[in-house]
Amino acid sequence: MRRLTLSPLPSRRRAVAIWPAAVAGTIALTLTAEHSAHAAPPEPALTVLPPAPRGLGMPALTALAAPTTYTVSAGDTVWGIARAHGLDTAAVLATNGLTPGSVIRPGQVLALTPAASPAPTTPTTPEAAPRSHEVRPGDTVSAIARANGVSVDAILGANGLTRASIIYPGDVLQIPSGTPAPAPAPAAVAPATAPGLDAEQSENARLIIRIGRELGVSDRGIVIALGTAMQESWLRNLDWGDRDSLGLFQQRPSTGWGTPDQILDRDRSTRVFFGGAGDPNGAATRGLLDIPGWEQLPYADAAQAVQISAYPDRYAQWEQPATVWLSVLG
């Protein structure tokens, strides 16, 4: 029987020969990537392929488009999915709104490309960030306004306050916009002082003003307290005085104004001078607010009604300076 000589079938070899090395690697990655976190390692990729036969007229293959989504299978992890697709794990998490602690489940579809960025908008001039100030002990509206480069009326208007309003430690005041934020103050800047007063005297004056505001005392009552303290102690918390007189207002333990330690407590002694419903001494002593018709009394007479001084006329000299101190510090 005559044997026919058959030529080798070229189809399989030709099919293999026409794949470029890059495409072969892409297909190998695609076939193994889906479960790469748990699958066996792939076979080594071909490093050399036979040359393609000439003149076959076969069209060149184009690169496969990278997938844009991936459906989770059992056992998958975000890290494995990202690695299989040549992506950064953090990018895959961010694209899908996930965190490192998020759980993915079979059937869940993950996006492998980040969401499109919004179209750029025309840049606008940024608005000044809102500013606020938390009130601290000793603060006054005028000091806060001065520190922030705005007027007292601007602070009052932005917070629905009037000049008779009281601010308390812990209150948060809004600073009006339209002015640049002040540069940070140097660490060792001394507090403002009033005309004719040094730092210690100005601090004691601020304390008297703050407590007066807290108690709802009028500006006139605060001016009377400032002038009284100046006459009695030069606005200093003295631990000595005539006979047993002590403190800002030279109050005497022997006449019921408190113990020496209580009188040397500037906050308490100021509240005792103002008196009224919040008087720490109760009815043991009589403060300014306890004097009937004190607002109609001449300046020196109102101070004398509280102090019962041997020199009642000396208080009058401090009315005008005390008015200036209040306007500067309060």
Side-chain angles (χ1 to χ4, degrees), residues 160-193:
L161 303 175
T162 68
R163 289 186 175 270
S165 297
I166 302 170
I167 59 174
Y168 300 95
D171 287 349
V172 177
L173 300 183
Q174 298 304 311
I175 307 302
S177 59
T179 56
V189 172
T193 58

Side-chain angles (χ1 to χ4, degrees), residues 11-302:
S11 58
R12 183 174 183 84
R13 180 176 180 184
R14 288 174 183 169
V16 173
I18 63 176
W19 297 95
V23 175
T26 302
I27 295 175
L29 177 61
T30 304
L31 293 176
T32 60
E34 186 172 351
H35 302 291
S36 61
H38 301 281
E43 294 294 331
L46 295 176
T47 56
V48 179
L49 291 176
R54 298 176 180 275
L56 295 180
M58 298 291 289
L61 297 179
T62 57
L64 297 177
T68 59
T69 61
Y70 176 82
T71 303
V72 177
S73 299
D76 275 345
T77 64
V78 176
W79 176 85
I81 295 168
R83 182 182 179 190
H85 292 85
L87 300 174
D88 180 65
T89 302
V92 174
L93 291 172
T95 298
N96 292 275
L98 303 175
T99 68
S102 297
V103 177
I104 59 174
R105 295 177 172 80
Q108 183 176 349
V109 178
L110 300 182
L112 300 181
T113 55
S117 300
T121 57
T122 303
T124 57
T125 303
E127 295 183 2
R131 293 182 288 144
S132 61
H133 176 87
E134 182 175 347
V135 177
R136 297 182 294 271
D139 273 351
T140 63
V141 173
S142 62
I144 295 169
R146 184 168 54 250
N148 287 277
V150 297
S151 68
V152 171
D153 288 335
I155 294 282
L156 295 175
N159 294 276
L161 303 175
T162 68
R163 289 186 175 270
S165 297
I166 302 170
I167 59 174
Y168 300 95
D171 287 349
V172 177
L173 300 183
Q174 298 304 311
I175 307 302
S177 59
T179 56
V189 172
T193 58
L197 303 181
D198 61 21
E200 179 189 357
Q201 292 170 310
S202 294
E203 174 57 28
N204 288 327
R206 271 191 290 268
L207 173 75
I208 292 170
I209 294 168
R210 176 178 64 78
I211 293 174
R213 298 287 192 214
E214 181 182 329
L215 297 175
V217 180
S218 66
D219 283 1
R220 177 170 174 76
I222 294 174
V223 168
I224 291 170
L226 290 171
T228 301
M230 187 64 179
Q231 175 60 37
E232 296 291 353
S233 68
W234 303 286
L235 270 170
R236 303 186 190 282
N237 196 30
L238 301 179
D239 60 358
W240 57 274
D242 178 51
R243 287 170 285 187
D244 59 342
S245 299
L246 298 168
L248 285 172
F249 296 93
Q250 290 291 281
Q251 295 159 344
R252 299 179 60 190
S254 62
T255 56
W257 290 90
T259 67
D261 286 342
Q262 288 174 331
I263 292 173
L264 288 173
D265 180 335
R266 299 178 304 152
D267 186 290
R268 185 183 189 280
S269 65
T270 301
R271 294 177 188 276
V272 170
F273 174 84
F274 283 124
D279 191 336
N281 272 350
T285 52
R286 189 174 69 164
L288 181 66
L289 301 180
D290 302 315
I291 308 297
W294 68 268
E295 291 175 302
Q296 284 72 49
L297 293 176
Y299 184 88
D301 292 349

